[in-house]
Amino acid sequence: MLIVDQIRAPISEAPGSRLEYLEVFTEIDSTNSYLLEQEAPPPGWFRVALAEHQTAGRGRMERRWYSPPSSGLCMSMSYTFEKEPKNLPSLTLAIGVGIAEALESMGVAGAGLKWPNDLVVRNGKLGGILTEMRTGHGPAQTVVVGIGLNVDLGRAPDADHIKTRLGYVSDLAACLDELPDRSELSAIMIDTIFNTLVEFELDGFDRFADAWQRFDWLRGQRVSIESPDGRTRGTCQGIDADGALLLRTSSGSQRVLSGSIRLHGQPDSY
Ligand code: BTN
């Protein structure tokens, strides 16, 4: 169970001193939607919403995020930058790097990042990141960063059906001999996301662009990318300094800024 005191206690000093509110819901439609509707935290401060279960969890590109009750981490954090940081679209990638590094420190071997927002392990989707902007007045910019992580899908009453429903998935239980308590895991993720936001605000995307290479799960893979401009096929060649995906196609190299990525010969859910 997610317990507020057990989430708050292990949070480090810097994030702990900037945490405005932390709320845990037994059930909610979406923690991202909830924080988008709340007042923005003051610059440099953040709010957190966690849920045991989301009835309308959202993913990138209007997709659903389904996580069986109490089997994962469904968490959103709203944070206000004093002014809009440079290259804000690369923030999702920076958060991915922060989380992949945190998972590695917890002992998860082989964590990978599938551009732009998926966490992958053992060739299955372990989690995803949904970053949304909150509109406001003045130079300050509030973002809502949502993270969904599969912790122990075997705990779900419909565990047998999950693979069929979600496609190819993975969970932390498959990667760790001893699973952290979800409250403890929430504290680790709060530290990680806060530190990433602050580092991104101060120093930008450069460090994250370098670190991405180590986790890049798509490099060398043949993919097809669906975007409003149509379908493009090619081989992934990493990301550039701004976080765009580099694709080698039959007509030369292309920078991809958004789109839905499907591995060659794999179903859509992959
Ligand atoms: C994706 O895979 O496209 C992103 C999934 C993000 C899911 C998280 S769960 C907490 C937060 N609330 C939501 O509705 N979505 C994010």
Side-chain angles (χ1 to χ4, degrees), residues 30-32 54 57-60 65 75-76 117 125 147-148:
S30 150
T31 51
N32 258 43
Q54 294 184 123
R58 295 187 293 109
R60 194 173 149 263
W65 173 259
M75 182 176 104
S76 300
N117 70 323
K125 181 160 171 168
I147 139 163

Side-chain angles (χ1 to χ4, degrees), residues 179-252:
L179 267 182
D181 174 82
R182 283 183 308 121
S183 296
E184 190 192 323
L185 179 65
S186 306
I188 295 173
M189 290 302 147
I190 290 170
D191 272 8
T192 300
I193 298 174
F194 175 81
N195 291 335
T196 305
L197 288 162
V198 170
E199 190 181 342
F200 186 86
E201 187 170 22
L202 288 174
D203 300 330
F205 184 60
D206 290 357
R207 197 230 9 126
F208 300 104
D210 290 341
W212 178 276
Q213 315 301 336
R214 207 160 59 77
F215 297 108
D216 190 347
W217 187 74
L218 284 178
R219 185 176 272 275
Q221 305 247 39
R222 299 242 307 130
V223 296
S224 79
I225 303 183
E226 302 278 351
S227 73
D229 306 330
R231 177 180 295 177
T232 318
R233 288 200 177 81
T235 304
C236 297
Q237 297 191 297
I239 61 167
D240 70 8
D242 290 330
L245 179 69
L246 299 172
L247 196 68
R248 193 178 61 232
T249 71
S250 53
S251 54

Side-chain angles (χ1 to χ4, degrees), residues 29-33 49 54 56-61 63-65 73-76 117-118 125 127-130 132 145-149:
D29 53 353
S30 150
T31 51
N32 258 43
S33 303
Q54 294 184 123
R58 295 187 293 109
R60 194 173 149 263
M61 307 198 87
R63 294 199 170 132
R64 293 292 301 270
W65 173 259
L73 186 77
C74 298
M75 182 176 104
S76 300
N117 70 323
D118 281 355
K125 181 160 171 168
I129 300 157
L130 177 67
E132 298 181 287
V145 178
I147 139 163
L149 267 187

